[in-house]
Amino acid sequence: MPDESLLKNIFGLNLSELESLFIAESIEKFRAKQVFKWIYTKSVRTFEEMTDLSAKMQAELSSKFKIGSLSLIERQVSSDGTKKYLFSLSDGNLVESVLMCFSDRDSLTACISSQIGCAVKCPFCSTGTLGFRKNLSSDEIIEQIQFIQNLEKLRVSNIVFMGQGEPLNNYDSVIKATRDLGSLIGIGARHITISTSGVVPQIEKLAEEDLQVTLALSLHDAENEGRDYLVPINTKWKIAELMQSMKNYVKKTNRRVTIEYVLLRGLNDSNEKAIALGKLCADLHCHINLIPYNQSCSDSEFQRPSNNRIHYFSMLVKQYSKGKTVIVRKEKGHDIKAACGQLESSYRT
Ligand code: SAH
Ligand code: SF4
């Protein structure tokens, strides 16, 4: 067995880069196309599985190259079918991804991470408590999908950047990954959602990208005072400026955006807060997703509201937002800590 660390990782190279590499290694150029197809269309991760290559060619490629830099540390399956994956990067950092299936649709949604930790430090989010460690490369982002497709022998249909990290704080890699997911893996921008805490300059930039992604904003409080605490990036870009950038995004892209709102008992779940949220969203082309808080540890100072409160809150939001669609998001994978905000890579290094 060759020493893995000495092998060149070919995951993420585009076809012409792979062809040049093969030519430099005296491997016939047309092999690159074959290998490329196996990696991205069939999600294969070893040369032995590439059955249209001779055993000799498989051995030669295996002695020189490897496909990808992630390794799977753990795979957990929830009673509702949600799966959570803990991957190790080549530098030993750990990252989590989640695969969700919904009983009312055939599609499979993967929730992927864009950073290790996060600098925004929302007090209720496990990733936030880690602080910022590092940005993932675009290859590490798309490899999460390729790895999941390989493991589960299925195709992911939708992607949400709702795992660990603030995607717009890792802008270039997230945009490259979004484009590559379309061209390499076949998942178009319309099937990708980028969720952000509200990095205003990057929202403006995203609006100019000519990408049809869905933008989701984690609002969590419609008033600056409360939002300064719940989403500390709000101390930099206030709600008025943020909403202006969301409206601009809608105007430039013609896409409906999503407003996310984590419901926290006693903090942002009052009638007044619901009315403020409804009014703020009334003139924005959006859906509103209410996410009852998911507890990640037993001594958490935060709690979800009662079901009655959630129901009444959502009714008020609908009324004051001029009839916007308001969805209370069902949590998935709670028993394996795979729900929103619970990803923390429990094996902290
Ligand atoms: N950083 C981005 C994307 C990752 S978080 C963002 O904040 O939008 C994805 C969503 O999960 C965000 O709306 C976030 O606020 C929410 N979230 C975080 N912790 C949560 C928790 N414990 N319960 C419910 N939702 C949570
Ligand atoms: Fe970062 Fe999003 Fe968690 Fe806030 S909710 S700390 S922005 S990952």
Side-chain angles (χ1 to χ4, degrees):
M1 275 285 280
D3 180 350
E4 272 267 321
S5 61
L6 300 177
L7 300 179
K8 178 161 176 52
N9 177 16
I10 60 169
F11 189 89
L13 296 183
N14 64 34
L15 183 57
S16 62
E17 288 165 342
L18 193 62
E19 285 172 345
S20 307
L21 179 66
F22 277 21
I23 292 165
E25 292 284 342
S26 310
I27 300 166
E28 299 129 306
K29 182 180 166 194
F30 79 94
R31 297 285 178 205
K33 212 173 232 161
Q34 279 176 296
V35 168
F36 197 78
K37 197 164 166 201
W38 280 108
I39 296 175
Y40 299 107
T41 313
K42 302 193 174 158
S43 301
V44 152
R45 294 182 59 83
T46 62
F47 296 104
E48 287 74 28
E49 290 164 89
M50 301 183 182
T51 47
D52 54 358
L53 301 180
S54 66
K56 190 164 163 263
M57 177 57 64
Q58 290 173 355
E60 182 179 356
L61 293 171
S62 305
S63 70
K64 291 182 169 154
F65 309 121
K66 63 178 174 182
I67 303 165
S69 62
L70 301 188
S71 32
L72 182 71
I73 304 291
E74 195 182 11
R75 171 182 178 271
Q76 285 178 278
V77 182
S78 157
S79 53
D80 67 16
T82 301
K83 298 177 183 74
K84 181 166 91 169
Y85 311 89
L86 178 68
F87 295 114
S88 163
L89 307 183
S90 52
D91 64 5
N93 267 301
L94 299 172
V95 67
E96 287 178 326
S97 324
V98 174
L99 182 68
M100 298 168 282
C101 38
F102 297 90
S103 50
D104 55 337
R105 340 175 197 152
D106 286 338
S107 59
L108 288 163
T109 299
C111 172
I112 56 173
S113 296
S114 56
Q115 297 184 312
I116 310 283
C118 178
V120 181
K121 294 193 174 169
C122 305
F124 56 87
C125 166
S126 318
T127 309
T129 61
L130 258 182
F132 174 70
R133 294 265 185 96
K134 69 166 232 171
N135 282 328
L136 298 189
S137 68
S138 63
D139 295 345
E140 289 165 336
I141 294 171
I142 58 174
E143 200 185 327
Q144 295 169 59
I145 302 293
Q146 196 258 10
F147 209 133
I148 292 172
Q149 294 197 147
N150 170 279
L151 278 174
E152 310 298 345
K153 305 289 173 246
L154 46 75
R155 292 195 71 76
V156 168
S157 28
N158 297 296
I159 293 171
V160 292
F161 279 92
M162 291 189 189
Q164 292 157 298
E166 167 47 59
L168 296 190
N169 276 347
N170 184 14
Y171 189 87
D172 291 345
S173 297
V174 166
I175 297 304
K176 180 168 189 317
T178 301
R179 294 193 195 282
D180 287 353
L181 280 165
S183 60
L184 300 179
I185 311 269
I187 304 173
R190 284 178 173 272
H191 298 275
I192 300 176
T193 297
I194 295 181
S195 175
T196 181
S197 54
V199 190
V200 169
Q202 310 298 56
I203 294 175
E204 302 282 354
K205 207 166 157 191
L206 187 64
E208 304 294 335
E209 291 284 352
D210 197 22
L211 263 178
Q212 289 286 302
V213 289
T214 299
L215 182 60
L217 170 67
S218 298
L219 188 66
H220 307 336
D221 201 309
E223 293 164 326
N224 282 317
E225 201 187 348
R227 194 168 193 268
D228 280 351
Y229 167 62
L230 288 179
V231 191
I233 203 170
N234 196 70
T235 54
K236 198 158 181 188
W237 293 290
K238 296 291 179 194
I239 291 174
E241 198 183 351
L242 179 57
M243 292 310 279
Q244 200 45 54
S245 71
M246 294 301 286
K247 282 182 184 158
N248 179 51
Y249 185 84
V250 171
K251 198 168 148 208
K252 289 264 164 68
T253 61
N254 264 321
R255 302 281 294 162
R256 176 173 23 212
V257 293
T258 304
I259 296 295
E260 296 170 289
Y261 194 99
V262 172
L263 281 165
L264 298 151
R265 180 184 294 189
L267 278 172
N268 64 358
D269 64 341
S270 66
N271 292 349
E272 293 72 31
K273 291 283 182 190
I275 293 168
L277 173 62
K279 286 182 173 170
L280 189 69
C281 295
D283 297 327
L284 180 68
H285 184 43
C286 68
H287 281 319
I288 300 162
N289 274 354
L290 302 177
I291 318 168
Y293 170 66
N294 296 309
Q295 197 151 335
S296 54
C297 54
S298 50
D299 60 351
S300 169
E301 59 188 290
F302 300 100
Q303 285 182 318
R304 65 166 56 200
S306 67
N307 286 344
N308 277 348
R309 177 91 300 257
I310 294 170
H311 183 71
Y312 197 71
F313 188 96
S314 75
M315 216 188 61
L316 281 176
V317 176
K318 189 165 182 67
Q319 185 183 339
Y320 281 86
S321 62
K322 300 188 195 153
K324 293 264 143 56
T325 303
V326 181
I327 297 161
V328 178
R329 197 184 299 155
K330 285 205 196 84
E331 68 181 22
K332 304 284 289 177
H334 201 272
D335 53 341
I336 55 165
K337 285 196 173 183
C340 260
Q342 294 187 315
L343 303 187
E344 55 177 351
S345 307
S346 4
Y347 298 65
R348 290 185 186 201
T349 45

